Amino acid sequence: MTGVALSLERLRAGYGEGLVLDGLDLCLPRGRITAIVGANACGKSTLLRAMSRLLPPKSGRVLLDGADIHAVAPRRLARRLGFLPQSPAAPEGITVLDLVSRGRHPHQGLFGRWRGADERAVAEALRLTGTGDLAERPVEDLSGGQRQRVWIAMALAQRTDILLLDEPTTFLDINHQVEVLDLLTDLNRARGTTIVMVLHDLNLAARYADLLVTMADGRIHASGPPETVLTEPMLRAVFGLSARIVADPVTGKPMMIPIGRHGARSCDAEDAMEMDS
């Protein structure tokens, strides 16, 4: 599957009179995984909100399959594009099963008739996220990590061609972070789902993404394969970070190792180790 799923043309967007995104041009490939990274407050979440049509542009356009996203009918858009924001809020007292089932609303008819396809989609989403045993529990009673997996289950139940996820690994320990990213990769490979996600962990972003996009001050700093984007000069320019780039011993993808002021071995320590050997 080739082509462009979403594209931005000179996109400018913000809140009130404030401008956050300033003239973005970007093409997101269909059927691939894109990770967006950048320092805090650089515009990553605002970009996802603009791409999901929740935030209208001040100028420029967001295109879905070449058409202005604001010209697409709401129900048709909900069948094509799913969005999981950074801190979603669940209605008070709603159970996990009811919340995940809401992902099927765009696929139901005028009278909201529940079908076998809806049942199967919800059951699969619960199974894939390991939340089936939580189905009857109120969402408000869950831990942060459990709640995040339930929201991801709702997004999976929607079964859209494109999934936008704002920090989907928030609140998850490292084991569950890897499980979620593996799950999204399985979804991408099995169904060709286009995945666009904001991530904080640069090494996980480089490991899982086909396209890595870096942002700084509301603009695109660089985009391309992780091998060309995750570089020492980029880390200095975007994050103000001194680091070394090495090959991930598991995947061969680039891996960032921050230097810091206290983590590096001193020359004396290295000399002592060499003398002992």
Side-chain angles (χ1 to χ4, degrees):
M1 191 178 295
T2 59
V4 175
L6 283 168
S7 59
L8 316 176
E9 292 183 349
R10 304 300 298 164
L11 179 69
R12 301 173 78 246
Y15 307 95
E17 298 299 318
L19 185 67
V20 178
L21 306 177
D22 189 9
L24 273 61
D25 290 299
L26 182 66
C27 291
L28 300 176
R30 180 183 289 113
R32 301 293 187 220
I33 297 176
T34 297
I36 302 171
V37 301
N40 291 339
C42 71
K44 302 185 297 296
S45 295
T46 300
L47 174 56
L48 283 197
R49 288 179 62 82
M51 288 195 294
S52 69
R53 204 170 74 175
L54 288 178
L55 181 67
K58 295 181 181 295
S59 64
R61 298 192 299 171
V62 177
L63 303 178
L64 173 64
D65 293 333
D68 192 319
I69 199 169
H70 288 269
V72 180
R75 184 173 287 271
R76 180 171 176 267
L77 180 64
R79 290 173 179 168
R80 295 290 318 283
L81 188 149
F83 174 50
L84 180 61
Q86 190 175 129
S87 301
E92 185 176 353
I94 193 171
T95 67
V96 167
L97 180 60
D98 287 341
L99 182 65
V100 176
S101 297
R102 292 192 176 199
R104 298 304 300 164
H105 286 184
H107 299 276
Q108 295 170 351
L110 182 63
F111 300 104
R113 184 178 175 184
W114 191 260
R115 301 167 302 167
D118 301 315
E119 196 78 39
R120 290 189 294 273
V122 169
E124 182 183 42
L126 292 169
R127 177 182 60 81
L128 290 173
T129 54
T131 53
D133 58 338
L134 306 174
E136 301 305 322
R137 291 182 59 183
V139 174
E140 62 201 37
D141 291 349
L142 304 180
S143 69
Q146 289 172 326
R147 215 172 300 156
Q148 189 70 4
R149 285 190 287 144
V150 168
W151 282 109
I152 292 171
M154 189 188 78
L156 295 184
Q158 195 173 339
R159 287 199 176 178
T160 55
D161 299 328
I162 303 170
L163 262 181
L164 309 179
L165 304 112
D166 194 354
E167 298 184 28
T169 56
T170 298
F171 304 120
L172 302 179
D173 58 40
I174 186 60
N175 179 52
H176 284 114
Q177 288 181 45
V178 171
E179 284 186 358
V180 164
L181 295 173
D182 279 344
L183 168 61
L184 294 173
T185 301
D186 291 341
L187 190 67
N188 167 258
R189 292 177 179 175
R191 296 184 190 165
T193 304
T194 301
I195 307 287
V196 182
M197 55 186 172
V198 169
L199 290 178
H200 267 301
D201 190 309
L202 294 176
N203 289 333
L204 288 179
R207 174 178 283 205
Y208 285 93
D210 300 301
L211 179 74
L212 187 63
V213 177
T214 60
M215 292 187 65
D217 299 322
R219 295 182 174 88
I220 303 298
H221 180 270
S223 67
E227 292 81 1
T228 63
V229 172
L230 187 56
T231 64
E232 294 173 14
M234 182 279 288
L235 292 170
R236 285 192 296 271
V238 172
F239 295 94
L241 178 68
S242 294
R244 294 288 179 266
I245 302 297
V246 299
D248 184 326
V250 175
T251 66
K253 293 286 192 75
M255 184 170 70
M256 180 273 297
I257 300 177
I259 295 173
R261 293 188 298 109
H262 299 293
R265 293 185 302 175
S266 68
C267 293
D268 291 341
E270 292 179 0
D271 292 343
M273 290 176 63
E274 290 178 2
M275 290 177 64
D276 290 340
S277 61

